Amino acid sequence: MPFHEKNLRPPRLPARRLSVSGTLKEYRQILLTGLVVILFSELYFNFALQDFRISLSVAVFPVLLMTLTRESNPFLTGLFTSAMVAVFRFGLGLLQGQGMVEAFTRNIYGALFYTWYGLFFILLVQKKSVVPTVRIMVTILLCDFGANLVEVGFETGLRYDSQKYTFYILLLLVACFRTLCAGTLLALYWSYFSLLSQAGHEERYQKLFLMKTGLKTEIYFMRRSSEQIEGIVRNAYRLYEELSGMEIPPETQKLALQIACDVHDIKKDYIRITQGIESQIGESAEEGAMSFSSILRILRESTYRMKDVDEERIRLDFRCQQDFTTRHHYALMSILYNLVTNSVEAIQSAGGRGEVRIEEEKQGDKYLITVIDNGPGIPPELMRSVFKMGFSTKYDEKTGNMSRGMGLPGVKLSVEEQLEGSLMVSSEPGKRTAFYLEIPARKLESET
């Protein structure tokens, strides 16, 4: 068989039996199975015995058992399918001028084929969700050949010796051919399912990666704030000590001490929150490395997905001239994601059509990364303020609030303190804005 057991094993899902009073959804699936079988059952040729059909529906039926009606009982599926096929062929026989008895007797045994098939299937396969591929192929072959033998027995009154042995050999060859067809269809289905599953995992990974990137950035600033808070505590306590030696009301002295104690409690809360986030995202664990090209790929797909960007209106052009592997991928992703997001929002505010480009190259012992957009640009009078804490030109029309202005100042701090680099900006109003990052190669490149 040309099917690899490990790669084409059906996805593991919880298997369960369909009771006689099964759900409406399951019965709709069985009904659809019967309709598909009826459609393909008309693609047939007669074989040796009168009214003994060889049809493609037998190759389709096991595929439907393993996919569409996977959670249903194979015997009930076969029973319902047989009833539907029998009614269809009976009605078709009447339309062709056959009598009721003739139409019934000529079609009932062929229709019951699917009942025997479902019975053999449930005896050979107990759990469809965990059965190996090789066993599925053998089961399909045995069900096909076995159900045909039962049908031959009814057609001949159990006189199996009325047919030559070559008839049964041909019947087995037909079963092998239909098993090969069914196996091919199942292989295509499982391969497609695996591709969809892989795409879903990739999307979830990107979202988790960006979430972790954001959390790590917040942890960095919380740690930095904790250091500043510690300085405030020291200054407040020093103020208390100095006030203690002065002729100042005790209430004022106690106020300085109370401020020192309150700020110290805030610091402890910061540390507790930081440690809680670290324990969830594995901050202290050994972090893996990631190539810059992978960072750009995730950044591209995440920007289009999370910012709801129309690819036809805003083009992302990311160019990686010299790839490298870094363990600082969270910091680098956070920096680039903020810059690209700012560029996209600037373009959207000016009409929603433009381009954001990232260019990367290595010059000497530094990596130069440029983020350029052809948006509205930054007015000259605001250029000196873009990296100041609290500065913002973003206005929320729904709430009436200005942005808190932490984006670019935070990016600059990350570049300087985490990556030991520098960040500069240039802009031509109405034409373009460019951010220039210079980061030491020794800081980015990871030892492998």
Side-chain angles (χ1 to χ4, degrees):
M1 294 293 178
F3 305 102
H4 193 279
E5 178 175 348
K6 181 177 180 181
N7 295 333
L8 295 181
R9 179 173 294 182
R12 290 178 178 267
L13 293 174
R16 58 190 181 91
R17 299 300 182 189
L18 174 66
S19 63
V20 177
S21 58
T23 65
L24 181 60
K25 177 182 177 181
E26 290 169 332
Y27 282 120
R28 283 201 300 264
Q29 293 171 343
I30 293 176
L31 176 63
L32 181 58
T33 297
L35 293 175
V36 173
V37 168
I38 287 173
L39 176 63
F40 279 91
S41 67
E42 294 307 304
L43 302 175
Y44 69 92
F45 60 91
N46 291 326
F47 184 74
L49 294 175
Q50 182 181 6
D51 300 324
F52 191 86
R53 295 183 175 192
I54 298 297
S55 67
L56 291 179
S57 60
V58 182
V60 176
F61 186 62
V63 177
L64 297 175
L65 288 179
M66 292 296 298
T67 56
L68 182 62
T69 60
R70 183 173 180 171
E71 298 181 358
S72 303
N73 186 306
F75 176 69
L76 287 180
T77 302
L79 187 62
F80 276 86
T81 301
S82 292
M84 293 176 64
V85 171
V87 171
F88 174 79
R89 291 182 181 176
F90 179 75
L92 190 62
L94 294 179
L95 292 176
Q96 293 175 347
Q98 300 175 4
M100 296 184 64
V101 176
E102 181 185 7
F104 178 79
T105 55
R106 292 187 61 176
N107 295 294
I108 186 60
Y109 299 132
L112 287 175
F113 170 90
Y114 301 100
T115 300
W116 314 131
Y117 196 113
L119 179 60
F120 293 145
F121 196 96
I122 198 173
L123 292 175
L124 295 172
V125 175
Q126 297 298 317
K127 294 183 179 181
K128 290 184 282 185
S129 59
V130 295
V131 61
T133 304
V134 172
R135 185 173 178 181
I136 278 292
M137 300 299 293
V138 173
T139 297
I140 294 174
L141 176 63
L142 294 178
C143 289
D144 191 328
F145 186 64
N148 272 325
L149 288 180
V150 175
E151 184 178 351
V152 171
F154 278 104
E155 292 281 356
T156 61
L158 299 180
R159 293 174 56 195
Y160 286 101
D161 57 350
S162 63
Q163 298 295 323
K164 297 181 180 179
Y165 73 93
T166 55
F167 167 79
Y168 297 104
I169 293 178
L170 290 175
L171 205 61
L172 180 60
L173 291 176
V174 170
C176 290
F177 173 74
R178 290 193 298 206
T179 299
L180 183 63
C181 292
T184 302
L185 292 175
L186 283 173
L188 292 174
Y189 170 80
W190 289 333
S191 297
Y192 178 67
F193 184 92
S194 297
L195 289 175
L196 290 181
S197 179
Q198 181 178 359
H201 289 317
E202 178 72 13
E203 180 178 352
R204 286 191 293 273
Y205 170 77
Q206 291 175 7
K207 290 181 179 180
L208 289 173
F209 181 84
L210 286 174
M211 181 184 69
K212 193 172 183 180
T213 297
L215 289 174
K216 281 181 171 286
T217 302
E218 295 300 327
I219 288 175
Y220 169 75
F221 287 110
M222 290 179 71
R223 285 175 175 168
R224 189 174 181 275
S225 297
S226 296
E227 295 175 0
Q228 293 176 336
I229 292 173
E230 180 62 30
I232 296 174
V233 172
R234 287 195 300 267
N235 292 334
Y237 190 75
R238 186 183 306 162
L239 177 62
Y240 163 73
E241 290 180 333
E242 292 179 0
L243 291 177
S244 299
M246 300 179 182
E247 294 182 358
I248 293 179
E251 293 78 10
T252 304
Q253 298 176 14
K254 291 181 180 180
L255 179 60
L257 181 60
Q258 185 63 46
I259 291 174
C261 293
D262 290 343
V263 175
H264 183 68
D265 289 339
I266 293 174
K267 177 191 174 183
K268 289 193 296 184
D269 290 338
Y270 259 63
I271 294 175
R272 185 165 53 251
I273 294 172
T274 302
Q275 291 175 344
I277 297 176
E278 289 174 349
S279 66
Q280 293 298 317
I281 65 177
E283 170 71 13
S284 59
E286 183 71 19
E287 294 291 352
M290 179 178 290
S291 66
F292 185 69
S293 58
S294 297
I295 293 175
L296 293 183
R297 177 177 55 82
I298 294 175
L299 179 61
R300 175 196 300 275
E301 297 180 6
S302 301
T303 302
Y304 277 130
R305 182 179 299 111
M306 298 187 69
K307 301 302 295 182
D308 193 24
V309 179
D310 186 353
E311 295 186 37
E312 296 183 357
R313 296 182 62 83
I314 297 181
R315 180 171 177 264
L316 303 179
D317 183 12
F318 296 166
R319 304 176 184 180
C320 176
Q321 293 191 12
Q322 184 165 340
D323 203 4
F324 60 88
T325 301
T326 180
R327 294 187 180 277
H328 295 281
H329 47 82
Y330 288 114
L332 193 55
M333 171 66 81
S334 178
I335 292 166
L336 294 178
Y337 184 74
N338 273 279
L339 294 177
V340 170
T341 299
N342 284 341
S343 295
V344 169
E345 291 176 349
I347 293 173
Q348 289 175 332
S349 67
R353 185 178 294 276
E355 179 185 65
V356 181
R357 187 168 71 251
I358 293 180
E359 297 177 347
E360 173 267 345
E361 62 176 336
K362 186 177 183 181
Q363 293 185 0
D365 60 351
K366 293 183 178 180
Y367 280 99
L368 305 181
I369 303 175
T370 308
V371 180
I372 310 171
D373 69 72
N374 58 356
I378 303 173
E381 63 273 15
L382 300 180
M383 284 293 294
R384 295 182 178 180
S385 304
V386 293
F387 292 126
K388 290 184 179 180
M389 197 68 67
F391 172 80
S392 177
T393 59
K394 298 178 183 178
Y395 174 78
D396 192 328
E397 296 181 354
K398 295 182 178 179
T399 64
N401 297 326
M402 297 294 290
S403 170
R404 61 192 178 107
M406 290 294 290
L408 290 179
V411 169
K412 186 174 177 64
L413 284 174
S414 294
V415 173
E416 294 174 349
E417 298 188 11
Q418 289 185 277
L419 300 180
E420 301 177 6
S422 63
L423 175 64
M424 297 178 291
V425 60
S426 68
S427 182
E428 298 179 42
K431 293 184 178 180
R432 65 191 289 274
T433 299
F435 289 89
Y436 306 95
L437 289 88
E438 288 190 5
I439 304 174
R442 60 174 177 77
K443 190 65 177 179
L444 285 181
E445 294 175 346
S446 300
E447 297 181 2
T448 55

PDB file of all heavy atoms in Angstrom, residues 268-297:
ATOM      1  N   LYS A 268       6.301  46.664  46.299  1.00  0.00           N
ATOM      2  CA  LYS A 268       6.094  45.236  46.546  1.00  0.00           C
ATOM      3  C   LYS A 268       5.002  44.675  45.632  1.00  0.00           C
ATOM      4  O   LYS A 268       5.110  43.540  45.157  1.00  0.00           O
ATOM      5  CB  LYS A 268       5.727  45.014  48.017  1.00  0.00           C
ATOM      6  CG  LYS A 268       6.895  45.238  48.977  1.00  0.00           C
ATOM      7  CD  LYS A 268       6.587  44.715  50.384  1.00  0.00           C
ATOM      8  CE  LYS A 268       5.433  45.469  51.013  1.00  0.00           C
ATOM      9  NZ  LYS A 268       5.180  45.028  52.411  1.00  0.00           N
ATOM     10  N   ASP A 269       3.937  45.467  45.395  1.00  0.00           N
ATOM     11  CA  ASP A 269       2.893  45.025  44.471  1.00  0.00           C
ATOM     12  C   ASP A 269       3.447  44.864  43.061  1.00  0.00           C
ATOM     13  O   ASP A 269       3.111  43.910  42.345  1.00  0.00           O
ATOM     14  CB  ASP A 269       1.739  46.022  44.472  1.00  0.00           C
ATOM     15  CG  ASP A 269       0.952  45.994  45.774  1.00  0.00           C
ATOM     16  OD1 ASP A 269       1.016  44.962  46.472  1.00  0.00           O
ATOM     17  OD2 ASP A 269       0.283  46.994  46.101  1.00  0.00           O
ATOM     18  N   TYR A 270       4.285  45.800  42.626  1.00  0.00           N
ATOM     19  CA  TYR A 270       4.912  45.713  41.313  1.00  0.00           C
ATOM     20  C   TYR A 270       5.720  44.423  41.197  1.00  0.00           C
ATOM     21  O   TYR A 270       5.631  43.695  40.194  1.00  0.00           O
ATOM     22  CB  TYR A 270       5.829  46.925  41.099  1.00  0.00           C
ATOM     23  CG  TYR A 270       5.238  48.011  40.233  1.00  0.00           C
ATOM     24  CD1 TYR A 270       4.086  48.683  40.641  1.00  0.00           C
ATOM     25  CD2 TYR A 270       5.828  48.372  39.025  1.00  0.00           C
ATOM     26  CE1 TYR A 270       3.539  49.682  39.862  1.00  0.00           C
ATOM     27  CE2 TYR A 270       5.283  49.368  38.245  1.00  0.00           C
ATOM     28  CZ  TYR A 270       4.142  50.028  38.659  1.00  0.00           C
ATOM     29  OH  TYR A 270       3.597  51.003  37.880  1.00  0.00           O
ATOM     30  N   ILE A 271       6.523  44.148  42.241  1.00  0.00           N
ATOM     31  CA  ILE A 271       7.362  42.948  42.212  1.00  0.00           C
ATOM     32  C   ILE A 271       6.498  41.689  42.179  1.00  0.00           C
ATOM     33  O   ILE A 271       6.771  40.747  41.426  1.00  0.00           O
ATOM     34  CB  ILE A 271       8.298  42.932  43.440  1.00  0.00           C
ATOM     35  CG1 ILE A 271       9.296  44.089  43.353  1.00  0.00           C
ATOM     36  CG2 ILE A 271       9.022  41.594  43.539  1.00  0.00           C
ATOM     37  CD1 ILE A 271      10.176  44.229  44.576  1.00  0.00           C
ATOM     38  N   ARG A 272       5.410  41.669  42.960  1.00  0.00           N
ATOM     39  CA  ARG A 272       4.530  40.497  42.995  1.00  0.00           C
ATOM     40  C   ARG A 272       3.864  40.280  41.631  1.00  0.00           C
ATOM     41  O   ARG A 272       3.781  39.143  41.149  1.00  0.00           O
ATOM     42  CB  ARG A 272       3.482  40.688  44.086  1.00  0.00           C
ATOM     43  CG  ARG A 272       2.595  39.469  44.288  1.00  0.00           C
ATOM     44  CD  ARG A 272       1.821  39.530  45.599  1.00  0.00           C
ATOM     45  NE  ARG A 272       1.066  40.775  45.735  1.00  0.00           N
ATOM     46  CZ  ARG A 272       1.365  41.757  46.571  1.00  0.00           C
ATOM     47  NH1 ARG A 272       2.440  41.651  47.352  1.00  0.00           N
ATOM     48  NH2 ARG A 272       0.620  42.845  46.650  1.00  0.00           N
ATOM     49  N   ILE A 273       3.392  41.354  41.018  1.00  0.00           N
ATOM     50  CA  ILE A 273       2.755  41.232  39.693  1.00  0.00           C
ATOM     51  C   ILE A 273       3.772  40.760  38.656  1.00  0.00           C
ATOM     52  O   ILE A 273       3.489  39.883  37.824  1.00  0.00           O
ATOM     53  CB  ILE A 273       2.130  42.572  39.276  1.00  0.00           C
ATOM     54  CG1 ILE A 273       0.959  42.924  40.206  1.00  0.00           C
ATOM     55  CG2 ILE A 273       1.654  42.519  37.827  1.00  0.00           C
ATOM     56  CD1 ILE A 273       0.410  44.321  39.994  1.00  0.00           C
ATOM     57  N   THR A 274       4.961  41.346  38.693  1.00  0.00           N
ATOM     58  CA  THR A 274       6.002  40.960  37.738  1.00  0.00           C
ATOM     59  C   THR A 274       6.356  39.490  37.869  1.00  0.00           C
ATOM     60  O   THR A 274       6.466  38.762  36.876  1.00  0.00           O
ATOM     61  CB  THR A 274       7.260  41.827  37.954  1.00  0.00           C
ATOM     62  OG1 THR A 274       6.918  43.204  37.813  1.00  0.00           O
ATOM     63  CG2 THR A 274       8.341  41.470  36.944  1.00  0.00           C
ATOM     64  N   GLN A 275       6.520  39.030  39.114  1.00  0.00           N
ATOM     65  CA  GLN A 275       6.853  37.622  39.328  1.00  0.00           C
ATOM     66  C   GLN A 275       5.716  36.706  38.883  1.00  0.00           C
ATOM     67  O   GLN A 275       5.960  35.615  38.355  1.00  0.00           O
ATOM     68  CB  GLN A 275       7.174  37.395  40.806  1.00  0.00           C
ATOM     69  CG  GLN A 275       8.475  38.038  41.261  1.00  0.00           C
ATOM     70  CD  GLN A 275       8.703  37.900  42.752  1.00  0.00           C
ATOM     71  OE1 GLN A 275       7.777  37.585  43.509  1.00  0.00           O
ATOM     72  NE2 GLN A 275       9.944  38.129  43.196  1.00  0.00           N
ATOM     73  N   GLY A 276       4.476  37.147  39.075  1.00  0.00           N
ATOM     74  CA  GLY A 276       3.335  36.343  38.624  1.00  0.00           C
ATOM     75  C   GLY A 276       3.310  36.199  37.119  1.00  0.00           C
ATOM     76  O   GLY A 276       3.073  35.096  36.578  1.00  0.00           O
ATOM     77  N   ILE A 277       3.570  37.297  36.396  1.00  0.00           N
ATOM     78  CA  ILE A 277       3.601  37.232  34.921  1.00  0.00           C
ATOM     79  C   ILE A 277       4.759  36.378  34.461  1.00  0.00           C
ATOM     80  O   ILE A 277       4.633  35.563  33.533  1.00  0.00           O
ATOM     81  CB  ILE A 277       3.690  38.650  34.330  1.00  0.00           C
ATOM     82  CG1 ILE A 277       2.440  39.464  34.684  1.00  0.00           C
ATOM     83  CG2 ILE A 277       3.845  38.587  32.810  1.00  0.00           C
ATOM     84  CD1 ILE A 277       2.494  40.908  34.224  1.00  0.00           C
ATOM     85  N   GLU A 278       5.921  36.547  35.097  1.00  0.00           N
ATOM     86  CA  GLU A 278       7.095  35.755  34.716  1.00  0.00           C
ATOM     87  C   GLU A 278       6.851  34.258  34.886  1.00  0.00           C
ATOM     88  O   GLU A 278       7.267  33.442  34.072  1.00  0.00           O
ATOM     89  CB  GLU A 278       8.301  36.175  35.557  1.00  0.00           C
ATOM     90  CG  GLU A 278       8.847  37.550  35.200  1.00  0.00           C
ATOM     91  CD  GLU A 278       9.947  37.983  36.150  1.00  0.00           C
ATOM     92  OE1 GLU A 278      10.118  37.301  37.186  1.00  0.00           O
ATOM     93  OE2 GLU A 278      10.618  38.979  35.859  1.00  0.00           O
ATOM     94  N   SER A 279       6.154  33.887  35.972  1.00  0.00           N
ATOM     95  CA  SER A 279       5.887  32.465  36.207  1.00  0.00           C
ATOM     96  C   SER A 279       4.971  31.879  35.150  1.00  0.00           C
ATOM     97  O   SER A 279       5.026  30.687  34.847  1.00  0.00           O
ATOM     98  CB  SER A 279       5.273  32.275  37.596  1.00  0.00           C
ATOM     99  OG  SER A 279       3.978  32.872  37.665  1.00  0.00           O
ATOM    100  N   GLN A 280       4.122  32.725  34.563  1.00  0.00           N
ATOM    101  CA  GLN A 280       3.192  32.234  33.543  1.00  0.00           C
ATOM    102  C   GLN A 280       3.840  32.133  32.168  1.00  0.00           C
ATOM    103  O   GLN A 280       3.511  31.244  31.381  1.00  0.00           O
ATOM    104  CB  GLN A 280       1.968  33.165  33.467  1.00  0.00           C
ATOM    105  CG  GLN A 280       1.103  33.145  34.718  1.00  0.00           C
ATOM    106  CD  GLN A 280       0.512  31.779  34.990  1.00  0.00           C
ATOM    107  OE1 GLN A 280       0.043  31.093  34.080  1.00  0.00           O
ATOM    108  NE2 GLN A 280       0.535  31.367  36.246  1.00  0.00           N
ATOM    109  N   ILE A 281       4.731  33.049  31.852  1.00  0.00           N
ATOM    110  CA  ILE A 281       5.323  33.057  30.502  1.00  0.00           C
ATOM    111  C   ILE A 281       6.718  32.459  30.479  1.00  0.00           C
ATOM    112  O   ILE A 281       7.347  32.390  29.422  1.00  0.00           O
ATOM    113  CB  ILE A 281       5.363  34.475  29.910  1.00  0.00           C
ATOM    114  CG1 ILE A 281       6.295  35.374  30.734  1.00  0.00           C
ATOM    115  CG2 ILE A 281       3.975  35.075  29.853  1.00  0.00           C
ATOM    116  CD1 ILE A 281       6.448  36.771  30.156  1.00  0.00           C
ATOM    117  N   GLY A 282       7.215  32.021  31.667  1.00  0.00           N
ATOM    118  CA  GLY A 282       8.515  31.361  31.687  1.00  0.00           C
ATOM    119  C   GLY A 282       9.664  32.310  31.474  1.00  0.00           C
ATOM    120  O   GLY A 282      10.595  32.021  30.727  1.00  0.00           O
ATOM    121  N   GLU A 283       9.597  33.477  32.102  1.00  0.00           N
ATOM    122  CA  GLU A 283      10.647  34.484  31.918  1.00  0.00           C
ATOM    123  C   GLU A 283      12.020  33.980  32.329  1.00  0.00           C
ATOM    124  O   GLU A 283      13.019  34.265  31.692  1.00  0.00           O
ATOM    125  CB  GLU A 283      10.285  35.724  32.743  1.00  0.00           C
ATOM    126  CG  GLU A 283      11.378  36.776  32.865  1.00  0.00           C
ATOM    127  CD  GLU A 283      11.612  37.513  31.568  1.00  0.00           C
ATOM    128  OE1 GLU A 283      10.776  37.391  30.669  1.00  0.00           O
ATOM    129  OE2 GLU A 283      12.635  38.205  31.461  1.00  0.00           O
ATOM    130  N   SER A 284      12.048  33.207  33.430  1.00  0.00           N
ATOM    131  CA  SER A 284      13.342  32.785  33.951  1.00  0.00           C
ATOM    132  C   SER A 284      13.909  31.580  33.211  1.00  0.00           C
ATOM    133  O   SER A 284      15.060  31.235  33.378  1.00  0.00           O
ATOM    134  CB  SER A 284      13.215  32.435  35.445  1.00  0.00           C
ATOM    135  OG  SER A 284      12.253  31.391  35.615  1.00  0.00           O
ATOM    136  N   ALA A 285      13.082  30.943  32.408  1.00  0.00           N
ATOM    137  CA  ALA A 285      13.552  29.762  31.683  1.00  0.00           C
ATOM    138  C   ALA A 285      14.441  30.173  30.513  1.00  0.00           C
ATOM    139  O   ALA A 285      14.432  31.310  30.062  1.00  0.00           O
ATOM    140  CB  ALA A 285      12.366  28.944  31.165  1.00  0.00           C
ATOM    141  N   GLU A 286      15.192  29.219  30.014  1.00  0.00           N
ATOM    142  CA  GLU A 286      16.068  29.467  28.878  1.00  0.00           C
ATOM    143  C   GLU A 286      15.236  29.738  27.634  1.00  0.00           C
ATOM    144  O   GLU A 286      14.389  28.948  27.232  1.00  0.00           O
ATOM    145  CB  GLU A 286      16.961  28.234  28.646  1.00  0.00           C
ATOM    146  CG  GLU A 286      17.976  28.421  27.526  1.00  0.00           C
ATOM    147  CD  GLU A 286      19.083  29.398  27.899  1.00  0.00           C
ATOM    148  OE1 GLU A 286      19.271  29.657  29.104  1.00  0.00           O
ATOM    149  OE2 GLU A 286      19.763  29.882  26.968  1.00  0.00           O
ATOM    150  N   GLU A 287      15.458  30.883  27.027  1.00  0.00           N
ATOM    151  CA  GLU A 287      14.679  31.260  25.853  1.00  0.00           C
ATOM    152  C   GLU A 287      15.393  30.787  24.597  1.00  0.00           C
ATOM    153  O   GLU A 287      16.625  30.865  24.491  1.00  0.00           O
ATOM    154  CB  GLU A 287      14.496  32.785  25.802  1.00  0.00           C
ATOM    155  CG  GLU A 287      13.663  33.336  26.935  1.00  0.00           C
ATOM    156  CD  GLU A 287      12.197  32.944  26.836  1.00  0.00           C
ATOM    157  OE1 GLU A 287      11.810  32.367  25.807  1.00  0.00           O
ATOM    158  OE2 GLU A 287      11.456  33.193  27.787  1.00  0.00           O
ATOM    159  N   GLY A 288      14.632  30.341  23.637  1.00  0.00           N
ATOM    160  CA  GLY A 288      15.196  29.913  22.377  1.00  0.00           C
ATOM    161  C   GLY A 288      15.539  31.092  21.493  1.00  0.00           C
ATOM    162  O   GLY A 288      15.182  32.233  21.766  1.00  0.00           O
ATOM    163  N   ALA A 289      16.248  30.803  20.423  1.00  0.00           N
ATOM    164  CA  ALA A 289      16.630  31.835  19.460  1.00  0.00           C
ATOM    165  C   ALA A 289      15.682  31.806  18.273  1.00  0.00           C
ATOM    166  O   ALA A 289      14.992  30.818  18.029  1.00  0.00           O
ATOM    167  CB  ALA A 289      18.067  31.622  19.010  1.00  0.00           C
ATOM    168  N   MET A 290      15.659  32.908  17.529  1.00  0.00           N
ATOM    169  CA  MET A 290      14.803  33.007  16.354  1.00  0.00           C
ATOM    170  C   MET A 290      15.529  33.826  15.293  1.00  0.00           C
ATOM    171  O   MET A 290      16.231  34.791  15.601  1.00  0.00           O
ATOM    172  CB  MET A 290      13.464  33.662  16.712  1.00  0.00           C
ATOM    173  CG  MET A 290      12.526  33.821  15.522  1.00  0.00           C
ATOM    174  SD  MET A 290      10.924  34.535  15.979  1.00  0.00           S
ATOM    175  CE  MET A 290      10.207  33.167  16.897  1.00  0.00           C
ATOM    176  N   SER A 291      15.359  33.423  14.049  1.00  0.00           N
ATOM    177  CA  SER A 291      15.987  34.155  12.955  1.00  0.00           C
ATOM    178  C   SER A 291      15.233  35.454  12.685  1.00  0.00           C
ATOM    179  O   SER A 291      14.028  35.552  12.937  1.00  0.00           O
ATOM    180  CB  SER A 291      16.022  33.297  11.691  1.00  0.00           C
ATOM    181  OG  SER A 291      14.705  33.063  11.215  1.00  0.00           O
ATOM    182  N   PHE A 292      15.956  36.430  12.152  1.00  0.00           N
ATOM    183  CA  PHE A 292      15.330  37.719  11.850  1.00  0.00           C
ATOM    184  C   PHE A 292      14.278  37.567  10.753  1.00  0.00           C
ATOM    185  O   PHE A 292      13.243  38.227  10.775  1.00  0.00           O
ATOM    186  CB  PHE A 292      16.400  38.728  11.434  1.00  0.00           C
ATOM    187  CG  PHE A 292      15.864  40.117  11.228  1.00  0.00           C
ATOM    188  CD1 PHE A 292      15.420  40.874  12.301  1.00  0.00           C
ATOM    189  CD2 PHE A 292      15.793  40.668   9.955  1.00  0.00           C
ATOM    190  CE1 PHE A 292      14.920  42.160  12.116  1.00  0.00           C
ATOM    191  CE2 PHE A 292      15.300  41.945   9.760  1.00  0.00           C
ATOM    192  CZ  PHE A 292      14.855  42.699  10.849  1.00  0.00           C
ATOM    193  N   SER A 293      14.525  36.677   9.791  1.00  0.00           N
ATOM    194  CA  SER A 293      13.542  36.451   8.723  1.00  0.00           C
ATOM    195  C   SER A 293      12.244  35.891   9.288  1.00  0.00           C
ATOM    196  O   SER A 293      11.156  36.230   8.809  1.00  0.00           O
ATOM    197  CB  SER A 293      14.114  35.501   7.671  1.00  0.00           C
ATOM    198  OG  SER A 293      14.479  34.261   8.260  1.00  0.00           O
ATOM    199  N   SER A 294      12.336  35.038  10.317  1.00  0.00           N
ATOM    200  CA  SER A 294      11.117  34.514  10.946  1.00  0.00           C
ATOM    201  C   SER A 294      10.375  35.615  11.685  1.00  0.00           C
ATOM    202  O   SER A 294       9.143  35.654  11.690  1.00  0.00           O
ATOM    203  CB  SER A 294      11.478  33.383  11.920  1.00  0.00           C
ATOM    204  OG  SER A 294      12.060  32.290  11.244  1.00  0.00           O
ATOM    205  N   ILE A 295      11.126  36.528  12.327  1.00  0.00           N
ATOM    206  CA  ILE A 295      10.498  37.657  12.997  1.00  0.00           C
ATOM    207  C   ILE A 295       9.713  38.493  11.999  1.00  0.00           C
ATOM    208  O   ILE A 295       8.562  38.887  12.247  1.00  0.00           O
ATOM    209  CB  ILE A 295      11.564  38.521  13.708  1.00  0.00           C
ATOM    210  CG1 ILE A 295      12.181  37.747  14.873  1.00  0.00           C
ATOM    211  CG2 ILE A 295      10.964  39.836  14.193  1.00  0.00           C
ATOM    212  CD1 ILE A 295      13.326  38.471  15.554  1.00  0.00           C
ATOM    213  N   LEU A 296      10.305  38.757  10.831  1.00  0.00           N
ATOM    214  CA  LEU A 296       9.630  39.553   9.812  1.00  0.00           C
ATOM    215  C   LEU A 296       8.392  38.830   9.271  1.00  0.00           C
ATOM    216  O   LEU A 296       7.368  39.462   9.000  1.00  0.00           O
ATOM    217  CB  LEU A 296      10.592  39.872   8.667  1.00  0.00           C
ATOM    218  CG  LEU A 296      11.756  40.805   8.994  1.00  0.00           C
ATOM    219  CD1 LEU A 296      12.579  41.084   7.738  1.00  0.00           C
ATOM    220  CD2 LEU A 296      11.272  42.110   9.612  1.00  0.00           C
ATOM    221  N   ARG A 297       8.490  37.516   9.115  1.00  0.00           N
ATOM    222  CA  ARG A 297       7.337  36.762   8.609  1.00  0.00           C
ATOM    223  C   ARG A 297       6.172  36.833   9.589  1.00  0.00           C
ATOM    224  O   ARG A 297       5.028  37.080   9.203  1.00  0.00           O
ATOM    225  CB  ARG A 297       7.736  35.306   8.361  1.00  0.00           C
ATOM    226  CG  ARG A 297       6.576  34.418   7.906  1.00  0.00           C
ATOM    227  CD  ARG A 297       7.054  33.014   7.603  1.00  0.00           C
ATOM    228  NE  ARG A 297       7.758  32.437   8.724  1.00  0.00           N
ATOM    229  CZ  ARG A 297       7.163  31.867   9.768  1.00  0.00           C
ATOM    230  NH1 ARG A 297       5.826  31.832   9.826  1.00  0.00           N
ATOM    231  NH2 ARG A 297       7.862  31.341  10.751  1.00  0.00           N
TER     232      ARG A 297
END
